[in-house]
Amino acid sequence: MRNFIKLASLPSIKKQLFVIPFMGLLLSSCGMMQNYMASYSVGLSSVESPANAKQQFGETKVVDFKDGEVNKYRYEDDYIEIVWFVSSKQFNFELKNKTTHSMKINWDDISFVDINGKTGRVMHSGVKYTDRNNSQPSSTIPRGASLSDILLPTDNVSFISGQYGGWSESNLIPSFYKTQELLNAGAPSFVGKKMTILMPIIIESVQNDYTFEFNVDEWINNKKK
């Protein structure tokens, strides 16, 4: 099931403030039909940094921490510090440039691997849905500065025509079920699945490939309200 946005004007993707785990009981516009939505806890499980990163970038580390009720994950080496949290539809991050040089993010070179192993491209904040498959200008982060942005898989964005159509963003993990029984049978199968973000970062004209792997750690049962 998808959440639809009515197309009044050409929308662009915006940062979302809700995070996984998420849970709820949806009521359709047609009446009181109930849909059960699964909740998942998703965390950063590993980071593959560029070759010889220990010698080149110093010691690396990944830590998890609480920001209010939100679980966040921080990776840090001598060049970057990045904090991730995963919402139902997108990856949210804040990337800090720790170097004395500018760094560049080429959005077209970032790729996403979903829970089924399928690779696709992403779009970031400010990109119109209609432009999701077009080239996206790169972003430069000055030395000592930070960039807050999001990554949304373009394959998860679609448009349905008609009176009740519009733009739709599907969840990163299938979440909606018609009955509690279907929820109980289907949701646990996604626990242990992996999602990956490959993010090349250019520093002094050298491309450094960072691979961030996320694990579906837990299914949190959604009880009928």
Side-chain angles (χ1 to χ4, degrees), residues 146-171:
S146 298
L147 171 69
S148 294
D149 215 313
I150 63 92
L151 299 176
L152 173 68
T154 58
D155 286 343
N156 291 359
V157 178
S158 60
F159 180 79
I160 298 178
S161 60
Q163 182 179 359
Y164 299 105
W167 287 100
S168 167
E169 300 173 7
S170 58
N171 287 355

mmCIF file with all atom_site columns, all heavy atoms in Angstrom, residues 146-171:
data_model
loop_
_atom_site.group_PDB
_atom_site.id
_atom_site.type_symbol
_atom_site.label_atom_id
_atom_site.label_alt_id
_atom_site.label_comp_id
_atom_site.label_asym_id
_atom_site.label_entity_id
_atom_site.label_seq_id
_atom_site.pdbx_PDB_ins_code
_atom_site.Cartn_x
_atom_site.Cartn_y
_atom_site.Cartn_z
_atom_site.occupancy
_atom_site.B_iso_or_equiv
_atom_site.pdbx_formal_charge
_atom_site.auth_seq_id
_atom_site.auth_comp_id
_atom_site.auth_asym_id
_atom_site.auth_atom_id
_atom_site.pdbx_PDB_model_num
ATOM 1   N N   . SER A 1 146 ? 29.262  20.965 7.158   1.00 0.00 ? 146 SER A N   1
ATOM 2   C CA  . SER A 1 146 ? 28.434  19.761 7.159   1.00 0.00 ? 146 SER A CA  1
ATOM 3   C C   . SER A 1 146 ? 27.301  19.898 6.153   1.00 0.00 ? 146 SER A C   1
ATOM 4   O O   . SER A 1 146 ? 26.872  21.004 5.824   1.00 0.00 ? 146 SER A O   1
ATOM 5   C CB  . SER A 1 146 ? 27.841  19.506 8.551   1.00 0.00 ? 146 SER A CB  1
ATOM 6   O OG  . SER A 1 146 ? 28.856  19.278 9.514   1.00 0.00 ? 146 SER A OG  1
ATOM 7   N N   . LEU A 1 147 ? 26.812  18.756 5.701   1.00 0.00 ? 147 LEU A N   1
ATOM 8   C CA  . LEU A 1 147 ? 25.676  18.683 4.783   1.00 0.00 ? 147 LEU A CA  1
ATOM 9   C C   . LEU A 1 147 ? 24.637  17.746 5.374   1.00 0.00 ? 147 LEU A C   1
ATOM 10  O O   . LEU A 1 147 ? 24.937  16.586 5.676   1.00 0.00 ? 147 LEU A O   1
ATOM 11  C CB  . LEU A 1 147 ? 26.119  18.162 3.415   1.00 0.00 ? 147 LEU A CB  1
ATOM 12  C CG  . LEU A 1 147 ? 25.010  17.834 2.416   1.00 0.00 ? 147 LEU A CG  1
ATOM 13  C CD1 . LEU A 1 147 ? 24.326  19.114 1.946   1.00 0.00 ? 147 LEU A CD1 1
ATOM 14  C CD2 . LEU A 1 147 ? 25.555  17.047 1.220   1.00 0.00 ? 147 LEU A CD2 1
ATOM 15  N N   . SER A 1 148 ? 23.412  18.248 5.535   1.00 0.00 ? 148 SER A N   1
ATOM 16  C CA  . SER A 1 148 ? 22.292  17.414 5.972   1.00 0.00 ? 148 SER A CA  1
ATOM 17  C C   . SER A 1 148 ? 21.404  17.147 4.769   1.00 0.00 ? 148 SER A C   1
ATOM 18  O O   . SER A 1 148 ? 20.973  18.096 4.092   1.00 0.00 ? 148 SER A O   1
ATOM 19  C CB  . SER A 1 148 ? 21.487  18.115 7.071   1.00 0.00 ? 148 SER A CB  1
ATOM 20  O OG  . SER A 1 148 ? 22.258  18.269 8.247   1.00 0.00 ? 148 SER A OG  1
ATOM 21  N N   . ASP A 1 149 ? 21.105  15.878 4.509   1.00 0.00 ? 149 ASP A N   1
ATOM 22  C CA  . ASP A 1 149 ? 20.341  15.549 3.314   1.00 0.00 ? 149 ASP A CA  1
ATOM 23  C C   . ASP A 1 149 ? 19.684  14.184 3.510   1.00 0.00 ? 149 ASP A C   1
ATOM 24  O O   . ASP A 1 149 ? 19.793  13.575 4.574   1.00 0.00 ? 149 ASP A O   1
ATOM 25  C CB  . ASP A 1 149 ? 21.239  15.545 2.080   1.00 0.00 ? 149 ASP A CB  1
ATOM 26  C CG  . ASP A 1 149 ? 20.526  16.051 0.833   1.00 0.00 ? 149 ASP A CG  1
ATOM 27  O OD1 . ASP A 1 149 ? 19.391  15.599 0.585   1.00 0.00 ? 149 ASP A OD1 1
ATOM 28  O OD2 . ASP A 1 149 ? 21.101  16.876 0.100   1.00 0.00 ? 149 ASP A OD2 1
ATOM 29  N N   . ILE A 1 150 ? 19.009  13.734 2.459   1.00 0.00 ? 150 ILE A N   1
ATOM 30  C CA  . ILE A 1 150 ? 18.351  12.434 2.483   1.00 0.00 ? 150 ILE A CA  1
ATOM 31  C C   . ILE A 1 150 ? 18.642  11.702 1.179   1.00 0.00 ? 150 ILE A C   1
ATOM 32  O O   . ILE A 1 150 ? 19.007  12.322 0.171   1.00 0.00 ? 150 ILE A O   1
ATOM 33  C CB  . ILE A 1 150 ? 16.829  12.561 2.711   1.00 0.00 ? 150 ILE A CB  1
ATOM 34  C CG1 . ILE A 1 150 ? 16.149  13.320 1.558   1.00 0.00 ? 150 ILE A CG1 1
ATOM 35  C CG2 . ILE A 1 150 ? 16.524  13.265 4.026   1.00 0.00 ? 150 ILE A CG2 1
ATOM 36  C CD1 . ILE A 1 150 ? 15.627  12.449 0.464   1.00 0.00 ? 150 ILE A CD1 1
ATOM 37  N N   . LEU A 1 151 ? 18.479  10.383 1.204   1.00 0.00 ? 151 LEU A N   1
ATOM 38  C CA  . LEU A 1 151 ? 18.589  9.546  0.011   1.00 0.00 ? 151 LEU A CA  1
ATOM 39  C C   . LEU A 1 151 ? 17.305  8.739  -0.119  1.00 0.00 ? 151 LEU A C   1
ATOM 40  O O   . LEU A 1 151 ? 16.925  8.015  0.802   1.00 0.00 ? 151 LEU A O   1
ATOM 41  C CB  . LEU A 1 151 ? 19.790  8.601  0.108   1.00 0.00 ? 151 LEU A CB  1
ATOM 42  C CG  . LEU A 1 151 ? 21.164  9.254  0.241   1.00 0.00 ? 151 LEU A CG  1
ATOM 43  C CD1 . LEU A 1 151 ? 22.244  8.180  0.425   1.00 0.00 ? 151 LEU A CD1 1
ATOM 44  C CD2 . LEU A 1 151 ? 21.489  10.122 -0.973  1.00 0.00 ? 151 LEU A CD2 1
ATOM 45  N N   . LEU A 1 152 ? 16.636  8.892  -1.263  1.00 0.00 ? 152 LEU A N   1
ATOM 46  C CA  . LEU A 1 152 ? 15.401  8.167  -1.546  1.00 0.00 ? 152 LEU A CA  1
ATOM 47  C C   . LEU A 1 152 ? 15.591  7.360  -2.823  1.00 0.00 ? 152 LEU A C   1
ATOM 48  O O   . LEU A 1 152 ? 15.926  7.935  -3.867  1.00 0.00 ? 152 LEU A O   1
ATOM 49  C CB  . LEU A 1 152 ? 14.241  9.140  -1.718  1.00 0.00 ? 152 LEU A CB  1
ATOM 50  C CG  . LEU A 1 152 ? 12.909  8.561  -2.184  1.00 0.00 ? 152 LEU A CG  1
ATOM 51  C CD1 . LEU A 1 152 ? 12.305  7.668  -1.098  1.00 0.00 ? 152 LEU A CD1 1
ATOM 52  C CD2 . LEU A 1 152 ? 11.935  9.667  -2.549  1.00 0.00 ? 152 LEU A CD2 1
ATOM 53  N N   . PRO A 1 153 ? 15.413  6.049  -2.775  1.00 0.00 ? 153 PRO A N   1
ATOM 54  C CA  . PRO A 1 153 ? 15.546  5.247  -4.001  1.00 0.00 ? 153 PRO A CA  1
ATOM 55  C C   . PRO A 1 153 ? 14.533  5.694  -5.056  1.00 0.00 ? 153 PRO A C   1
ATOM 56  O O   . PRO A 1 153 ? 13.334  5.774  -4.789  1.00 0.00 ? 153 PRO A O   1
ATOM 57  C CB  . PRO A 1 153 ? 15.260  3.823  -3.518  1.00 0.00 ? 153 PRO A CB  1
ATOM 58  C CG  . PRO A 1 153 ? 15.554  3.839  -2.052  1.00 0.00 ? 153 PRO A CG  1
ATOM 59  C CD  . PRO A 1 153 ? 15.159  5.205  -1.583  1.00 0.00 ? 153 PRO A CD  1
ATOM 60  N N   . THR A 1 154 ? 15.015  5.982  -6.262  1.00 0.00 ? 154 THR A N   1
ATOM 61  C CA  . THR A 1 154 ? 14.109  6.463  -7.307  1.00 0.00 ? 154 THR A CA  1
ATOM 62  C C   . THR A 1 154 ? 13.126  5.387  -7.752  1.00 0.00 ? 154 THR A C   1
ATOM 63  O O   . THR A 1 154 ? 12.029  5.711  -8.215  1.00 0.00 ? 154 THR A O   1
ATOM 64  C CB  . THR A 1 154 ? 14.905  6.972  -8.518  1.00 0.00 ? 154 THR A CB  1
ATOM 65  O OG1 . THR A 1 154 ? 15.742  5.924  -9.019  1.00 0.00 ? 154 THR A OG1 1
ATOM 66  C CG2 . THR A 1 154 ? 15.775  8.162  -8.142  1.00 0.00 ? 154 THR A CG2 1
ATOM 67  N N   . ASP A 1 155 ? 13.496  4.124  -7.624  1.00 0.00 ? 155 ASP A N   1
ATOM 68  C CA  . ASP A 1 155 ? 12.575  3.048  -7.996  1.00 0.00 ? 155 ASP A CA  1
ATOM 69  C C   . ASP A 1 155 ? 11.351  3.006  -7.085  1.00 0.00 ? 155 ASP A C   1
ATOM 70  O O   . ASP A 1 155 ? 10.343  2.369  -7.423  1.00 0.00 ? 155 ASP A O   1
ATOM 71  C CB  . ASP A 1 155 ? 13.284  1.690  -7.954  1.00 0.00 ? 155 ASP A CB  1
ATOM 72  C CG  . ASP A 1 155 ? 14.242  1.490  -9.120  1.00 0.00 ? 155 ASP A CG  1
ATOM 73  O OD1 . ASP A 1 155 ? 14.119  2.231  -10.117 1.00 0.00 ? 155 ASP A OD1 1
ATOM 74  O OD2 . ASP A 1 155 ? 15.109  0.600  -9.031  1.00 0.00 ? 155 ASP A OD2 1
ATOM 75  N N   . ASN A 1 156 ? 11.444  3.652  -5.926  1.00 0.00 ? 156 ASN A N   1
ATOM 76  C CA  . ASN A 1 156 ? 10.332  3.657  -4.980  1.00 0.00 ? 156 ASN A CA  1
ATOM 77  C C   . ASN A 1 156 ? 9.370   4.818  -5.206  1.00 0.00 ? 156 ASN A C   1
ATOM 78  O O   . ASN A 1 156 ? 8.404   4.981  -4.459  1.00 0.00 ? 156 ASN A O   1
ATOM 79  C CB  . ASN A 1 156 ? 10.857  3.706  -3.538  1.00 0.00 ? 156 ASN A CB  1
ATOM 80  C CG  . ASN A 1 156 ? 11.540  2.416  -3.140  1.00 0.00 ? 156 ASN A CG  1
ATOM 81  O OD1 . ASN A 1 156 ? 11.619  1.477  -3.919  1.00 0.00 ? 156 ASN A OD1 1
ATOM 82  N ND2 . ASN A 1 156 ? 12.049  2.364  -1.920  1.00 0.00 ? 156 ASN A ND2 1
ATOM 83  N N   . VAL A 1 157 ? 9.640   5.647  -6.213  1.00 0.00 ? 157 VAL A N   1
ATOM 84  C CA  . VAL A 1 157 ? 8.791   6.799  -6.522  1.00 0.00 ? 157 VAL A CA  1
ATOM 85  C C   . VAL A 1 157 ? 8.020   6.513  -7.798  1.00 0.00 ? 157 VAL A C   1
ATOM 86  O O   . VAL A 1 157 ? 8.592   6.085  -8.801  1.00 0.00 ? 157 VAL A O   1
ATOM 87  C CB  . VAL A 1 157 ? 9.635   8.078  -6.696  1.00 0.00 ? 157 VAL A CB  1
ATOM 88  C CG1 . VAL A 1 157 ? 8.744   9.260  -7.074  1.00 0.00 ? 157 VAL A CG1 1
ATOM 89  C CG2 . VAL A 1 157 ? 10.416  8.391  -5.426  1.00 0.00 ? 157 VAL A CG2 1
ATOM 90  N N   . SER A 1 158 ? 6.723   6.749  -7.779  1.00 0.00 ? 158 SER A N   1
ATOM 91  C CA  . SER A 1 158 ? 5.900   6.498  -8.955  1.00 0.00 ? 158 SER A CA  1
ATOM 92  C C   . SER A 1 158 ? 4.716   7.452  -8.967  1.00 0.00 ? 158 SER A C   1
ATOM 93  O O   . SER A 1 158 ? 4.390   8.084  -7.959  1.00 0.00 ? 158 SER A O   1
ATOM 94  C CB  . SER A 1 158 ? 5.413   5.043  -8.977  1.00 0.00 ? 158 SER A CB  1
ATOM 95  O OG  . SER A 1 158 ? 4.637   4.760  -7.826  1.00 0.00 ? 158 SER A OG  1
ATOM 96  N N   . PHE A 1 159 ? 4.079   7.541  -10.124 1.00 0.00 ? 159 PHE A N   1
ATOM 97  C CA  . PHE A 1 159 ? 2.907   8.403  -10.286 1.00 0.00 ? 159 PHE A CA  1
ATOM 98  C C   . PHE A 1 159 ? 1.755   7.576  -10.831 1.00 0.00 ? 159 PHE A C   1
ATOM 99  O O   . PHE A 1 159 ? 1.918   6.799  -11.771 1.00 0.00 ? 159 PHE A O   1
ATOM 100 C CB  . PHE A 1 159 ? 3.201   9.553  -11.247 1.00 0.00 ? 159 PHE A CB  1
ATOM 101 C CG  . PHE A 1 159 ? 2.030   10.474 -11.444 1.00 0.00 ? 159 PHE A CG  1
ATOM 102 C CD1 . PHE A 1 159 ? 1.730   11.436 -10.500 1.00 0.00 ? 159 PHE A CD1 1
ATOM 103 C CD2 . PHE A 1 159 ? 1.222   10.362 -12.564 1.00 0.00 ? 159 PHE A CD2 1
ATOM 104 C CE1 . PHE A 1 159 ? 0.633   12.280 -10.672 1.00 0.00 ? 159 PHE A CE1 1
ATOM 105 C CE2 . PHE A 1 159 ? 0.122   11.197 -12.743 1.00 0.00 ? 159 PHE A CE2 1
ATOM 106 C CZ  . PHE A 1 159 ? -0.165  12.172 -11.790 1.00 0.00 ? 159 PHE A CZ  1
ATOM 107 N N   . ILE A 1 160 ? 0.602   7.737  -10.222 1.00 0.00 ? 160 ILE A N   1
ATOM 108 C CA  . ILE A 1 160 ? -0.612  7.067  -10.677 1.00 0.00 ? 160 ILE A CA  1
ATOM 109 C C   . ILE A 1 160 ? -1.613  8.130  -11.099 1.00 0.00 ? 160 ILE A C   1
ATOM 110 O O   . ILE A 1 160 ? -1.897  9.060  -10.331 1.00 0.00 ? 160 ILE A O   1
ATOM 111 C CB  . ILE A 1 160 ? -1.206  6.167  -9.577  1.00 0.00 ? 160 ILE A CB  1
ATOM 112 C CG1 . ILE A 1 160 ? -0.222  5.054  -9.208  1.00 0.00 ? 160 ILE A CG1 1
ATOM 113 C CG2 . ILE A 1 160 ? -2.532  5.575  -10.015 1.00 0.00 ? 160 ILE A CG2 1
ATOM 114 C CD1 . ILE A 1 160 ? -0.700  4.151  -8.098  1.00 0.00 ? 160 ILE A CD1 1
ATOM 115 N N   . SER A 1 161 ? -2.112  8.017  -12.307 1.00 0.00 ? 161 SER A N   1
ATOM 116 C CA  . SER A 1 161 ? -3.047  9.006  -12.822 1.00 0.00 ? 161 SER A CA  1
ATOM 117 C C   . SER A 1 161 ? -4.455  8.734  -12.295 1.00 0.00 ? 161 SER A C   1
ATOM 118 O O   . SER A 1 161 ? -4.729  7.700  -11.697 1.00 0.00 ? 161 SER A O   1
ATOM 119 C CB  . SER A 1 161 ? -3.041  8.987  -14.359 1.00 0.00 ? 161 SER A CB  1
ATOM 120 O OG  . SER A 1 161 ? -3.411  7.707  -14.837 1.00 0.00 ? 161 SER A OG  1
ATOM 121 N N   . GLY A 1 162 ? -5.345  9.684  -12.546 1.00 0.00 ? 162 GLY A N   1
ATOM 122 C CA  . GLY A 1 162 ? -6.727  9.514  -12.112 1.00 0.00 ? 162 GLY A CA  1
ATOM 123 C C   . GLY A 1 162 ? -7.090  10.463 -10.995 1.00 0.00 ? 162 GLY A C   1
ATOM 124 O O   . GLY A 1 162 ? -6.230  11.135 -10.403 1.00 0.00 ? 162 GLY A O   1
ATOM 125 N N   . GLN A 1 163 ? -8.351  10.479 -10.654 1.00 0.00 ? 163 GLN A N   1
ATOM 126 C CA  . GLN A 1 163 ? -8.861  11.418 -9.656  1.00 0.00 ? 163 GLN A CA  1
ATOM 127 C C   . GLN A 1 163 ? -8.194  11.255 -8.298  1.00 0.00 ? 163 GLN A C   1
ATOM 128 O O   . GLN A 1 163 ? -7.928  12.222 -7.596  1.00 0.00 ? 163 GLN A O   1
ATOM 129 C CB  . GLN A 1 163 ? -10.376 11.235 -9.510  1.00 0.00 ? 163 GLN A CB  1
ATOM 130 C CG  . GLN A 1 163 ? -11.023 12.202 -8.512  1.00 0.00 ? 163 GLN A CG  1
ATOM 131 C CD  . GLN A 1 163 ? -12.524 12.005 -8.402  1.00 0.00 ? 163 GLN A CD  1
ATOM 132 O OE1 . GLN A 1 163 ? -13.095 11.152 -9.097  1.00 0.00 ? 163 GLN A OE1 1
ATOM 133 N NE2 . GLN A 1 163 ? -13.173 12.782 -7.547  1.00 0.00 ? 163 GLN A NE2 1
ATOM 134 N N   . TYR A 1 164 ? -7.920  10.003 -7.933  1.00 0.00 ? 164 TYR A N   1
ATOM 135 C CA  . TYR A 1 164 ? -7.331  9.743  -6.622  1.00 0.00 ? 164 TYR A CA  1
ATOM 136 C C   . TYR A 1 164 ? -5.859  9.341  -6.736  1.00 0.00 ? 164 TYR A C   1
ATOM 137 O O   . TYR A 1 164 ? -5.293  8.770  -5.814  1.00 0.00 ? 164 TYR A O   1
ATOM 138 C CB  . TYR A 1 164 ? -8.131  8.655  -5.899  1.00 0.00 ? 164 TYR A CB  1
ATOM 139 C CG  . TYR A 1 164 ? -9.570  9.042  -5.670  1.00 0.00 ? 164 TYR A CG  1
ATOM 140 C CD1 . TYR A 1 164 ? -10.581 8.484  -6.449  1.00 0.00 ? 164 TYR A CD1 1
ATOM 141 C CD2 . TYR A 1 164 ? -9.907  9.980  -4.707  1.00 0.00 ? 164 TYR A CD2 1
ATOM 142 C CE1 . TYR A 1 164 ? -11.910 8.847  -6.254  1.00 0.00 ? 164 TYR A CE1 1
ATOM 143 C CE2 . TYR A 1 164 ? -11.232 10.350 -4.494  1.00 0.00 ? 164 TYR A CE2 1
ATOM 144 C CZ  . TYR A 1 164 ? -12.228 9.782  -5.275  1.00 0.00 ? 164 TYR A CZ  1
ATOM 145 O OH  . TYR A 1 164 ? -13.538 10.148 -5.078  1.00 0.00 ? 164 TYR A OH  1
ATOM 146 N N   . GLY A 1 165 ? -5.261  9.655  -7.865  1.00 0.00 ? 165 GLY A N   1
ATOM 147 C CA  . GLY A 1 165 ? -3.856  9.333  -8.061  1.00 0.00 ? 165 GLY A CA  1
ATOM 148 C C   . GLY A 1 165 ? -2.942  10.408 -7.514  1.00 0.00 ? 165 GLY A C   1
ATOM 149 O O   . GLY A 1 165 ? -3.348  11.294 -6.770  1.00 0.00 ? 165 GLY A O   1
ATOM 150 N N   . GLY A 1 166 ? -1.700  10.333 -7.915  1.00 0.00 ? 166 GLY A N   1
ATOM 151 C CA  . GLY A 1 166 ? -0.705  11.289 -7.445  1.00 0.00 ? 166 GLY A CA  1
ATOM 152 C C   . GLY A 1 166 ? 0.649   10.626 -7.317  1.00 0.00 ? 166 GLY A C   1
ATOM 153 O O   . GLY A 1 166 ? 0.843   9.479  -7.722  1.00 0.00 ? 166 GLY A O   1
ATOM 154 N N   . TRP A 1 167 ? 1.570   11.351 -6.747  1.00 0.00 ? 167 TRP A N   1
ATOM 155 C CA  . TRP A 1 167 ? 2.919   10.831 -6.528  1.00 0.00 ? 167 TRP A CA  1
ATOM 156 C C   . TRP A 1 167 ? 2.945   9.951  -5.293  1.00 0.00 ? 167 TRP A C   1
ATOM 157 O O   . TRP A 1 167 ? 2.304   10.254 -4.287  1.00 0.00 ? 167 TRP A O   1
ATOM 158 C CB  . TRP A 1 167 ? 3.917   11.973 -6.394  1.00 0.00 ? 167 TRP A CB  1
ATOM 159 C CG  . TRP A 1 167 ? 4.200   12.636 -7.704  1.00 0.00 ? 167 TRP A CG  1
ATOM 160 C CD1 . TRP A 1 167 ? 3.678   13.807 -8.170  1.00 0.00 ? 167 TRP A CD1 1
ATOM 161 C CD2 . TRP A 1 167 ? 5.075   12.157 -8.723  1.00 0.00 ? 167 TRP A CD2 1
ATOM 162 N NE1 . TRP A 1 167 ? 4.160   14.081 -9.424  1.00 0.00 ? 167 TRP A NE1 1
ATOM 163 C CE2 . TRP A 1 167 ? 5.022   13.087 -9.790  1.00 0.00 ? 167 TRP A CE2 1
ATOM 164 C CE3 . TRP A 1 167 ? 5.876   11.022 -8.857  1.00 0.00 ? 167 TRP A CE3 1
ATOM 165 C CZ2 . TRP A 1 167 ? 5.753   12.925 -10.959 1.00 0.00 ? 167 TRP A CZ2 1
ATOM 166 C CZ3 . TRP A 1 167 ? 6.610   10.860 -10.022 1.00 0.00 ? 167 TRP A CZ3 1
ATOM 167 C CH2 . TRP A 1 167 ? 6.546   11.804 -11.056 1.00 0.00 ? 167 TRP A CH2 1
ATOM 168 N N   . SER A 1 168 ? 3.690   8.890  -5.372  1.00 0.00 ? 168 SER A N   1
ATOM 169 C CA  . SER A 1 168 ? 3.741   7.903  -4.296  1.00 0.00 ? 168 SER A CA  1
ATOM 170 C C   . SER A 1 168 ? 5.179   7.516  -4.002  1.00 0.00 ? 168 SER A C   1
ATOM 171 O O   . SER A 1 168 ? 5.988   7.349  -4.919  1.00 0.00 ? 168 SER A O   1
ATOM 172 C CB  . SER A 1 168 ? 2.944   6.653  -4.702  1.00 0.00 ? 168 SER A CB  1
ATOM 173 O OG  . SER A 1 168 ? 3.208   5.578  -3.836  1.00 0.00 ? 168 SER A OG  1
ATOM 174 N N   . GLU A 1 169 ? 5.499   7.383  -2.717  1.00 0.00 ? 169 GLU A N   1
ATOM 175 C CA  . GLU A 1 169 ? 6.794   6.857  -2.271  1.00 0.00 ? 169 GLU A CA  1
ATOM 176 C C   . GLU A 1 169 ? 6.525   5.571  -1.493  1.00 0.00 ? 169 GLU A C   1
ATOM 177 O O   . GLU A 1 169 ? 5.838   5.592  -0.475  1.00 0.00 ? 169 GLU A O   1
ATOM 178 C CB  . GLU A 1 169 ? 7.522   7.850  -1.372  1.00 0.00 ? 169 GLU A CB  1
ATOM 179 C CG  . GLU A 1 169 ? 7.817   9.182  -2.010  1.00 0.00 ? 169 GLU A CG  1
ATOM 180 C CD  . GLU A 1 169 ? 8.387   10.174 -1.005  1.00 0.00 ? 169 GLU A CD  1
ATOM 181 O OE1 . GLU A 1 169 ? 8.658   9.758  0.149   1.00 0.00 ? 169 GLU A OE1 1
ATOM 182 O OE2 . GLU A 1 169 ? 8.547   11.348 -1.362  1.00 0.00 ? 169 GLU A OE2 1
ATOM 183 N N   . SER A 1 170 ? 7.041   4.469  -1.970  1.00 0.00 ? 170 SER A N   1
ATOM 184 C CA  . SER A 1 170 ? 6.849   3.215  -1.241  1.00 0.00 ? 170 SER A CA  1
ATOM 185 C C   . SER A 1 170 ? 7.905   3.069  -0.152  1.00 0.00 ? 170 SER A C   1
ATOM 186 O O   . SER A 1 170 ? 8.963   3.699  -0.195  1.00 0.00 ? 170 SER A O   1
ATOM 187 C CB  . SER A 1 170 ? 6.899   2.019  -2.204  1.00 0.00 ? 170 SER A CB  1
ATOM 188 O OG  . SER A 1 170 ? 8.121   1.979  -2.890  1.00 0.00 ? 170 SER A OG  1
ATOM 189 N N   . ASN A 1 171 ? 7.607   2.245  0.823   1.00 0.00 ? 171 ASN A N   1
ATOM 190 C CA  . ASN A 1 171 ? 8.514   2.042  1.948   1.00 0.00 ? 171 ASN A CA  1
ATOM 191 C C   . ASN A 1 171 ? 9.755   1.254  1.533   1.00 0.00 ? 171 ASN A C   1
ATOM 192 O O   . ASN A 1 171 ? 9.730   0.461  0.591   1.00 0.00 ? 171 ASN A O   1
ATOM 193 C CB  . ASN A 1 171 ? 7.813   1.302  3.079   1.00 0.00 ? 171 ASN A CB  1
ATOM 194 C CG  . ASN A 1 171 ? 6.822   2.196  3.809   1.00 0.00 ? 171 ASN A CG  1
ATOM 195 O OD1 . ASN A 1 171 ? 6.714   3.389  3.536   1.00 0.00 ? 171 ASN A OD1 1
ATOM 196 N ND2 . ASN A 1 171 ? 6.084   1.615  4.735   1.00 0.00 ? 171 ASN A ND2 1
#
